[in-house]
């Protein structure tokens, strides 16, 4: 019993990241897209945790699609931005969702987490599709490269 109480009394330290902790590519995306200050913390956290998934998707892309961008960091930055905006939109929509009365709080939380995960995975898939399209679409390719021009 004392172990349970001591675990409850422990303070969980929250790591606060800033754009300085991220790649220049993410900072460029933030600047180009004029990301609101209120979204920066979420964006940076999404960026930090989504790297393995983004890298897996990047590695699965054909080289011709990878060549639309200069490097993985550009891809990862675009994915993180997409996931952040989609996540905010999803969470906003979930505020108004009415759940069945027989669905418990834990079930609701699991449902929300599952649906959010699907939204985030779809962002990665969508970015991969867009890069594949951009290989053969010069105006679309230019849209990607404009973001990262100095």
């Amino acid at each position: 019993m004392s172990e349970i109480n001591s675990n409850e009394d422990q303070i969980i330290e929250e790591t606060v990241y800033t754009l300085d902790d991220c790649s220049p590519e993410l900072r460029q995306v933030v600047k180009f897209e004029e990301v609101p200050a209120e979204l920066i913390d979420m964006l940076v956290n999404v960026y930090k945790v989504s790297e393995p998934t983004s890298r897996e998707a990047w590695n699965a892309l054909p080289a011709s699609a990878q060549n639309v961008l200069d490097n993985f960091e550009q891809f990862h930055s675009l994915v993180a931005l997409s996931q952040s905006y989609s996540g905010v939109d999803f969470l906003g929509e979930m505020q108004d969702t009415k759940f069945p009365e027989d669905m418990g709080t834990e079930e609701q939380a699991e449902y929300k987490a599952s649906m959010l995960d699907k939204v985030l995975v779809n962002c990665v898939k969508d970015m991969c599709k867009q890069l594949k399209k951009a290989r053969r679409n010069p105006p679309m390719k230019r849209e990607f490269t404009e973001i990262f021009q100095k």
Side-chain angles (χ1 to χ4, degrees):
M1 182 76 151
S2 64
E3 286 181 34
I4 294 171
N5 288 337
S6 65
N7 287 342
E8 288 177 3
D9 292 337
Q10 289 179 350
I11 297 173
I12 298 173
E13 289 186 36
E14 203 175 299
T15 304
V16 177
Y17 297 110
T18 66
L19 281 175
D20 295 336
D21 299 318
C22 299
S23 69
E25 290 85 355
L26 183 64
R27 290 191 292 275
Q28 186 65 28
V29 167
V30 166
K31 180 180 172 186
F32 184 86
E33 295 293 337
E34 298 177 353
V35 176
E38 301 82 27
L39 189 62
I40 299 294
D41 186 50
M42 180 178 179
L43 172 61
V44 172
N45 281 293
V46 167
Y47 177 84
K48 291 290 186 182
V49 299
S50 67
E51 184 173 357
T53 306
S54 293
R55 185 160 307 276
E56 186 178 312
W58 174 259
N59 290 339
L61 280 171
S64 58
Q66 289 179 350
N67 287 336
V68 170
L69 298 171
D70 290 338
N71 55 45
F72 164 74
E73 285 301 329
Q74 290 179 350
F75 175 76
H76 181 43
S77 297
L78 292 169
V79 167
L81 181 66
S82 173
Q83 288 178 321
S84 295
Y85 278 125
S86 295
V88 166
D89 288 346
F90 171 79
L91 293 172
E93 290 172 13
M94 289 307 295
Q95 295 292 350
D96 299 330
T97 301
K98 302 289 185 217
F99 291 98
E101 289 182 21
D102 64 336
M103 185 181 262
T105 306
E106 192 173 304
E107 290 173 307
Q108 290 178 17
E110 286 177 23
Y111 175 78
K112 288 177 186 178
S114 170
M115 294 306 294
L116 179 59
D117 188 50
K118 287 179 183 180
V119 167
L120 300 179
V121 167
N122 285 338
C123 289
V124 176
K125 289 179 181 178
D126 184 56
M127 188 60 63
C128 290
K129 286 180 187 177
Q130 288 183 43
L131 283 178
K132 289 176 183 178
K133 277 184 174 178
R135 302 180 284 190
R136 297 184 191 104
N137 185 334
M140 192 173 183
K141 184 175 182 178
R142 208 170 14 261
E143 286 180 29
F144 277 109
T145 58
E146 279 177 359
I147 297 170
F148 298 103
Q149 289 178 352
K150 304 289 185 229

